[in-house]
Amino acid sequence: MDTQRFVLPMNGENISVVIGDNVTGHINDEVGRYDTLVFMISRRVEELFGPKIPPLEDYGSSTIKITLNDGESLKTLRNYQRIIKVLVEKKVSRNSLLVYVGGGTVGDLAGFVAATYKRGIRMIAVPTTLLAQVDSSIGGKNGIDFSDVKNVIGTFYNPYLIIDDLEFLKSTQEIIREGMGEVIKYSIIAGGDMFKKVSETSLSNFIEHSADIVKMSIKIKADIVNRDYYDRNGIRSVLNLGHTIAHGIEGASKGQISHGRSVATGMMVEAHIGEKYGNTKPDVIEHIMRLADNYGIERVRISDIGVNNIVRYVSNDKKMAEGYINMPVPAEVGNVITMKVTERMISDGLNTFIREHERK
Ligand SMILES: NC(=O)c1ccc[n+]([C@@H]2O[C@H](COP(=O)([O-])OP(=O)(O)OC[C@H]3O[C@@H](n4cnc5c(N)ncnc54)[C@H](O)[C@@H]3O)[C@@H](O)[C@H]2O)c1
């Protein structure tokens, strides 16, 4: 597969993106210009892919390697402090480069370190999960969790180079399924060629089409982000499609249900809510279900988690000011609108989902 290279405009800056097989070697072209290379890598990724990540000796002696146990528990103030302490002790200068290799959790912590250490050092992202390639590495958001609140401390900061090595996606199908919730979301938001591409592909031939799917996803997200970089005018919130209900499912199931399944099911429930109020075309739910099936994403059994439990998490999460929340809802493929929804409308949507898809 040919390597794809393009420049992604992001909030007035240009990010270079490289997508292809075995492209991590591009890091070598960059390091010579910096005093120190700070290399933050997921322990799991290193175990799985060690030999394909360019050996650190290639970068000379001024390399600091930090190996991380990834997962949500990585994103703490304590881990942030530990890393900053290492950089201070090793007298890392501002003219240094941080390279991260890992999923979204490594990327969120690394981005926060790069953005804040000495008010910002340059960063290269090497995202290794599909979710990180199509979502978390794009859009500048980084951060850590604090006091049980996710991503409550963070900044906006971009890498100048993103290397999406598709070899990383060949490890497990789970890595693909987890990210496909977001990819299906992009296909419903954008419609057109993206919807066609995602519809014509499935889990079994995903790898063959991964370069195009990753590239198209990145461009769709970047296009939306660029119209509302700081998340202030409501445009960026379209990217929350599926996530209002997904956060309720994830919270109520105590994290037992994966993000990909939660987002896909969340979009279906949100489409039911839209349909009931005449905002969503009836074929939208079928499209989402078909795409989820094609990628082996199992629907969540809402009745097992409990409608009331999910509603409680949604209303706590979103702080239903004035009795409603603004929720993105698919009107049709290629058109997402925002609806004001109440707790009652959410529980009705969840009950409709149970009636139509769990009791048949
Ligand atoms: N900053 C943003 O805009 C943004 C957007 C979406 C999500 N996020 C964040 O991203 C995080 C989730 O990202 P994630 O799903 O990548 O989680 P993750 O980083 O925890 O990775 C998931 C698991 O996959 C493993 N892994 C990584 N690469 C692998 C590979 N190639 N093969 C096999 N296993 C591999 C990891 O070790 C980990 O166990 C959350 O913390 C979320 O808040 C951030």
Side-chain angles (χ1 to χ4, degrees):
M1 194 186 299
D2 289 343
T3 300
Q4 306 212 23
R5 290 184 178 80
F6 59 98
V7 171
L8 191 72
M10 182 63 65
N11 192 37
E13 292 173 59
N14 282 329
I15 302 176
S16 299
V17 182
V18 180
I19 303 177
D21 290 320
N22 294 309
V23 287
T24 49
H26 278 78
I27 303 169
N28 287 311
D29 305 337
E30 299 294 319
V31 287
R33 294 188 270 134
Y34 298 96
D35 298 340
T36 306
L37 167 67
V38 180
F39 198 71
M40 286 175 60
I41 183 166
S42 144
R43 189 180 305 283
R44 172 116 182 92
V45 170
E46 192 169 38
E47 282 163 8
L48 287 170
F49 298 98
K52 82 173 297 299
I53 298 160
L56 286 175
E57 297 77 63
D58 286 358
Y59 307 135
S61 55
S62 50
T63 296
I64 297 169
K65 182 181 167 195
I66 301 171
T67 307
L68 301 163
N69 293 323
D70 49 15
E72 200 58 36
S73 59
L74 174 69
K75 291 169 49 177
T76 61
L77 200 50
R78 198 178 148 90
N79 286 333
Y80 169 74
Q81 283 173 326
R82 280 187 182 147
I83 293 166
I84 297 291
K85 191 159 186 266
V86 173
L87 305 194
V88 170
E89 281 171 2
K90 303 263 186 190
K91 298 189 169 51
V92 171
S93 73
R94 270 205 89 223
N95 179 41
S96 295
L97 174 68
L98 187 153
V99 177
Y100 81 77
V101 182
T105 56
V106 172
D108 274 5
L109 177 64
F112 188 50
V113 169
T116 52
Y117 179 71
K118 297 205 170 180
R119 299 193 181 84
I121 58 173
R122 305 267 276 160
M123 173 168 75
I124 296 178
V126 185
T128 62
T129 61
L130 179 61
L131 184 129
Q133 294 189 352
V134 299
D135 189 358
S136 60
S137 61
I138 308 298
K141 288 186 181 178
N142 57 54
I144 53 176
D145 308 333
F146 185 75
S147 191
D148 287 336
V149 185
K150 258 190 89 160
N151 304 322
V152 69
I153 302 174
T155 74
F156 289 87
Y157 195 72
N158 286 295
Y160 72 94
L161 170 63
I162 300 175
I163 299 173
D164 287 321
D165 195 324
L166 303 169
E167 289 289 315
F168 287 121
L169 307 182
K170 295 180 183 165
S171 58
T172 64
Q173 289 196 330
E174 204 39 46
I175 286 295
I176 298 169
R177 276 198 289 260
E178 268 299 277
M180 274 315 295
E182 306 300 336
V183 174
I184 293 173
K185 176 190 82 178
Y186 295 139
S187 80
I188 300 293
I189 293 174
D193 288 348
M194 179 66 178
F195 182 70
K196 191 163 176 277
K197 184 79 196 171
V198 174
S199 298
E200 286 169 357
T201 311
S202 66
L203 191 59
S204 58
N205 63 358
F206 173 83
I207 291 295
E208 277 165 58
H209 298 273
S210 54
D212 287 338
I213 289 180
V214 170
K215 182 177 178 181
M216 291 166 99
S217 299
I218 289 174
K219 291 197 164 183
I220 291 166
K221 178 162 183 187
D223 180 51
I224 295 167
V225 167
N226 273 320
R227 288 184 277 143
D228 181 18
Y229 184 71
Y230 292 107
D231 212 350
R232 282 177 187 147
N233 63 21
I235 293 175
R236 193 167 174 156
S237 64
V238 164
L239 293 166
N240 287 335
L241 180 66
H243 286 66
T244 308
I245 302 298
H247 289 153
I249 292 171
E250 287 166 339
S253 68
K254 306 269 176 279
Q256 292 304 299
I257 299 197
S258 75
H259 190 64
R261 286 181 70 197
S262 303
V263 170
T265 309
M267 283 188 283
M268 295 169 204
V269 173
E270 290 168 8
H272 271 304
I273 297 172
E275 196 184 326
K276 176 156 186 194
Y277 293 89
N279 290 328
T280 302
K281 286 193 175 169
D283 64 345
V284 174
I285 296 165
E286 279 147 43
H287 285 308
I288 301 168
M289 288 194 169
R290 180 176 47 81
L291 296 182
D293 288 349
N294 288 351
Y295 290 91
I297 304 172
E298 233 186 294
R299 259 168 254 158
V300 176
R301 272 189 71 82
I302 299 293
S303 50
D304 288 350
I305 305 171
V307 169
N308 291 345
N309 289 337
I310 297 174
V311 173
R312 196 173 317 124
Y313 270 92
V314 172
S315 49
N316 284 346
D317 185 28
K318 297 284 178 185
K319 304 268 177 307
M320 291 224 173
E322 297 166 30
Y324 65 84
I325 48 171
N326 290 313
M327 185 174 84
V329 167
E332 59 191 315
V333 171
N335 182 21
V336 172
I337 56 161
T338 303
M339 252 179 90
K340 287 190 186 336
V341 298
T342 61
E343 281 190 10
R344 181 61 193 266
M345 289 159 78
I346 294 170
S347 63
D348 282 354
L350 290 162
N351 281 315
T352 307
F353 182 89
I354 293 173
R355 222 173 24 251
E356 301 217 350
H357 310 295
E358 295 181 8
R359 295 213 180 120
K360 276 189 175 168

